[in-house]
Structure formats: structure tokens, C-alpha cells
Amino acid sequence: MTREVGSHTEDVRFAGSEPSPSTEPTSLQRARETRRWVERAQAGDVRAFEYLYRDHVGRVYALALRMTADAREAEEATQDVWVRVWERLETFRADSSFSTWLHRLAVNRILDRMRSRKRREGRSASLDDPGVNRWGTEPSKTEERMELERAIAALPEGARTVFVLHEVEGLKCREVAEATGTAVGTVKAQLHRARKLLRGMLTP
Amino acid sequence: MTERRGSTGAGDPEPGPHLHDELLGELLDGDLDPDARLQAEDHLAECPQCQRAYSELVDLGHQARALPQEIQPTRDLWPGIQAEVRRRRPWVTWGYGLAAAGIAALILGTVFFSPWGHEMAEMESPPEDPASTTFVAQVREVEEAYEPTIQELRLLVEDQELAPETREVLEESLAVIEEAIREAAAALEEDPGSPQALHGLRRMYDAKVEVLRLVAGRSSSI
């Protein structure tokens, strides 16, 4: 397996006794494989942790990008999430799914960052700030999807957060309320607002 | 619960009170009680405008759920993460196996070569009488002398909230010592009357006790 690490290409070969990503693993095989990598990472193996990162970073970055609507902030949040994952990995118990645990940790960490940022700036992060690159350059996406992504990114922060967590990530209103530290009624109101705004933006 | 959705044009049937957007959302999310749900569904069945509005909400949800679950960052973030990980816990780069071997060697070395090790052995070991016992009895005697302490320390260690890597190092260290115990027992089997071989076996048990004490927080010697 050859991959880019930093500015150079590193040939990363793992010994035969170590878990290795197979070509098309079933979900059960994949879960077992992930568990083995997690166990190694919990024991302090940074290479195993890198494997977990590379296997799951797309999921974390997608979440961060949609919640923050800012590619630069999403990258920083993604890095921050993974450093936190490393710190908290020992608390992960194998009786739950790593990706579920990771998702929960990522949501909480990204929300923490957004709250801190809001406090620092004394206002919601404006999506119209010059220099904000909302989505970077993502080729090969359908126009319809891009239109929805842009519309989501243009939502006010509160409505966007709730919409992304509920509609894209599939959290229940109660779970969104717990994660954001708000009342369920507030979540529903924000969800209603988001839907209304999106329909307005997407309807010709 | 209802609202007028606006003019429907001269040719449309008399517009009834429409379902407002929030209520449509609640219908979609399954948040309505059975009566309200039935009422809303009855209206939907008859009202093209509300059907259209509801359909837009449903489509929006479908589109949102169909968005890709993964988006790769445009640059590799790993180098920054790796640097931060190493900065926070540099010891992990040593490798836990090396750390385990190091601890075991440290303990074994200390037990073998320090005056403290001999003192401890004299305090805790039963008097030696190799001439009067067979090999099996000798090994059993040593085991019985140390096992209660070992079990007690094991329980103390189990009660501790150890980091996985610490537990890993502990088990690796104990494995090294267990191997040394087996070798010492083999030496005793070859020469059952040898005080040196018996002494060697006891020193290995001393090492095992000391590793467990170290982790259980009951020793400040090492």
C-alpha cells in the first residue's frame, strides 16, 4: 500500500501478523478489522491510529464541512477531532461501534469549536465573509447536489447545524437537542426554519 | 394548525384551510398525535397544494440523506495530527513491547543485583530446606509462599483504571517474568537440591510481585 504522507510518498507495509485492509471486505469483516486497529491504537500504535484516520477521515470531514460551511475551519476541526480521538481512545469500549463513537465525539467537538468561535467573535460566523472558501473545489458532483450543498451552507448557523445533524446525519430531534444543549422545541423550530429557507432557495 | 396557502387562481376549487409548513414537518417527522395525523392526512388527500408542499419536504429529506457521507479533505491532514499526537504522548513511539521488556528487565535486574532485592527475599521467602524436599514440593512451596500476595496485588491492579497501553505493558512484563519463572523451575528440576536454583526461582517470584506492586501503586522503590 503506497500513500502520500506529508510531502513525500511513503511505502507503508504492515507485517503479516497485523491487520491489513482487504479489497472488498464485508461489513462484519470490516468491523472486525476496525476493532483490531482500534485495539492496536489503544495500545499506543500510531500506525494503527493512522489507518483508522485514513479509513474514517472522509466521514469526519464531511460532517465538519457541512456544519461549519467553511473548508478551512472544517480542516482545522477535523484535525482537532482526531487529536481528541487519540486522547480519548482509551475510553472507547469494544461493545459499541467505533464509527458511532467517533461520530458522536466529532459532533460534540465540532459543536464545541463552533460555540467557542461564536463567543470569540461575538457573532455567528458569517458565510459571506470574504475569503471564506465554503466548499473548496470538489469536482465531479452533480449540479443538484452542489445546489443543495450550497443552500445548506448558506443557512444561518443554528438552522444549518440542526438540519445537518437531523436530515443528513440522521440524529433524532432529541439527540440533536442533547448535542447542542438546547430544548427539543428549539431544535424543531430551527428545523422548520431550515426547511423553509431551503425550499425557498431551491425552488425555481 | 392550518393556514391559507395563498390564491390558487380563479379556476381552482374553493381553497380550504391549508396545513402550515411546521405541521407538515411534524407530519413528516412522525411527531403528530394520531388524531392530528389523521386529520392532516385527510386534508393532504384532497389538497393538491399541500400535497406539493409536503412532497417538497419529502424530496428535501431524500436529497439530504442522499448526500455523500464522506468527503475527502483537499489536503492531507495526517502530518499535523501525527505531530500533535507525538507532542502529547511521545513515549508511544517507543513501542509498548520495548517498554514492557524494559520494565521487566529493570525489575529483574533490580531484584537480582540490589541489596534491597536480597533483603526483600529474606523477609518474604520461607526458609530454604532443599535437601528435604523433592522438586515438585519445592516448586509448590515457592508458589504457595507467593501466590496469596500475587493474587491480592492482581485484585488491586484489576480495580485500577489503567490506560490500555499501561495494561498492555504490564501483561507484557508479566509474560517476560513468567518465562523467567519457567526457566528457573527447569533449572531446579535439573538440580533439585541446588540452593542456587531454588534461590533463582524465588527471585523470579519477587520480580513478579514487584511488577504488580509497581502498577498497584504499592511500591516506591523503582
Side-chain angles (χ1 to χ4, degrees):
Chain A
M1 178 170 68
T2 302
R3 64 183 169 214
E4 288 290 328
V5 176
S7 58
H8 65 285
T9 301
E10 182 183 35
D11 189 27
V12 183
R13 294 184 194 285
F14 297 99
S17 60
E18 298 182 15
S20 61
S22 46
T23 49
E24 285 185 29
T26 65
S27 57
L28 186 62
Q29 284 172 329
R30 190 177 159 85
R32 281 182 184 152
E33 202 168 77
T34 298
R35 182 164 298 181
R36 290 166 69 192
W37 286 108
V38 168
E39 285 168 359
R40 294 197 69 107
Q42 284 179 319
D45 187 336
V46 178
R47 285 192 311 165
F49 185 63
E50 182 183 357
Y51 177 80
L52 289 172
Y53 160 79
R54 296 201 181 279
D55 201 31
H56 292 82
V57 64
R59 185 89 176 81
V60 174
Y61 182 69
L63 177 69
L65 186 56
R66 290 196 179 109
M67 286 175 71
T68 63
D70 180 337
R72 202 165 43 213
E73 169 59 17
E75 285 182 355
E76 286 177 17
T78 301
Q79 282 186 313
D80 194 14
V81 164
W82 281 96
V83 171
R84 182 56 64 98
V85 168
W86 174 253
E87 288 176 337
R88 305 284 301 156
L89 197 57
E90 65 189 56
T91 67
F92 171 71
R93 295 288 172 260
D95 53 357
S96 64
S97 149
F98 175 72
S99 60
T100 305
W101 179 83
L102 171 65
H103 187 262
R104 194 177 306 125
L105 186 148
V107 167
N108 290 334
R109 190 65 194 141
I110 293 164
L111 284 171
D112 282 347
R113 285 181 62 92
M114 289 168 72
R115 280 191 279 262
S116 301
R117 187 177 173 180
K118 203 169 177 177
R119 276 197 298 272
R120 248 191 344 265
E121 296 177 352
R123 61 182 175 86
S124 298
S126 168
L127 292 172
D128 297 324
D129 281 349
V132 170
N133 175 10
R134 291 178 193 165
W135 286 94
T137 50
E138 285 282 318
S140 72
K141 288 182 179 132
T142 65
E143 189 50 40
E144 189 183 61
R145 188 203 128 197
M146 283 304 292
E147 200 181 345
L148 177 57
E149 298 276 28
R150 276 193 293 266
I152 293 172
L155 288 172
E157 187 177 290
R160 184 178 67 243
T161 300
V162 168
F163 184 82
V164 168
L165 292 179
H166 184 273
E167 295 284 9
V168 182
E169 299 295 329
L171 270 67
K172 294 180 170 55
C173 285
R174 179 183 48 77
E175 293 171 324
V176 177
E178 282 171 11
T180 55
T182 52
V184 174
T186 307
V187 169
K188 287 182 177 174
Q190 290 283 25
L191 184 60
H192 166 62
R193 186 180 178 212
R195 283 168 168 164
K196 192 170 182 177
L197 288 169
L198 286 172
R199 281 172 63 203
M201 285 188 263
L202 296 170
T203 305
Chain B
M1 120 176 193
T2 55
E3 69 179 9
R4 295 201 174 271
R5 206 169 272 291
S7 171
T8 57
D12 290 343
E14 181 66 22
H18 293 292
L19 305 177
H20 58 68
D21 290 342
E22 200 163 349
L23 191 134
L24 287 173
E26 287 175 349
L27 177 65
L28 181 67
D29 295 335
D31 288 341
L32 292 180
D33 62 59
D35 285 347
R37 180 186 176 87
L38 209 61
Q39 210 176 335
E41 285 174 347
D42 285 347
H43 178 84
L44 264 186
E46 301 295 328
C47 178
Q49 276 184 272
C50 287
Q51 283 173 13
R52 192 163 52 247
Y54 186 70
S55 172
E56 282 176 13
L57 277 183
V58 172
D59 285 349
L60 182 61
H62 286 164
Q63 285 179 49
R65 280 186 288 280
L67 290 174
Q69 293 289 298
E70 296 187 10
I71 299 173
Q72 293 302 320
T74 51
R75 66 184 176 91
D76 187 1
L77 305 177
W78 174 250
I81 295 165
Q82 186 181 35
E84 189 62 21
V85 159
R86 291 208 159 130
R87 190 182 70 76
R88 291 179 187 223
R89 291 162 75 184
W91 63 269
V92 299
T93 57
W94 304 347
Y96 61 86
L98 183 61
I103 286 181
L106 180 66
I107 300 281
L108 290 172
T110 308
V111 170
F112 265 125
F113 299 115
S114 77
W116 161 82
H118 289 287
E119 184 187 342
M120 184 177 73
E122 283 166 16
M123 287 170 63
E124 296 187 1
S125 303
E128 294 178 13
D129 188 12
S132 63
T133 55
T134 64
F135 156 70
V136 173
Q138 284 176 314
V139 171
R140 186 176 299 151
E141 183 187 348
V142 174
E143 281 177 352
E144 286 173 358
Y146 285 91
E147 274 309 313
T149 307
I150 287 171
Q151 289 309 317
E152 186 185 339
L153 288 169
R154 274 276 190 194
L155 289 174
L156 285 171
V157 169
E158 286 302 315
D159 286 341
Q160 298 225 353
E161 294 235 340
L162 295 177
E165 59 267 28
T166 305
R167 196 166 288 282
E168 192 84 14
V169 168
L170 170 65
E171 293 305 328
E172 292 275 346
S173 300
L174 290 176
V176 171
I177 294 169
E178 285 294 343
E179 182 59 29
I181 286 175
R182 278 192 290 275
E183 287 174 9
L188 188 61
E189 187 176 21
E190 281 183 12
D191 187 2
S194 164
Q196 290 82 5
L198 185 59
H199 185 72
L201 181 63
R202 286 181 175 146
R203 298 296 76 73
M204 294 307 106
Y205 273 95
D206 285 338
K208 189 171 179 179
V209 165
E210 191 53 29
V211 166
L212 288 166
R213 277 188 176 153
L214 181 69
V215 178
R218 292 301 174 93
S219 169
S220 57
S221 302
I222 294 176

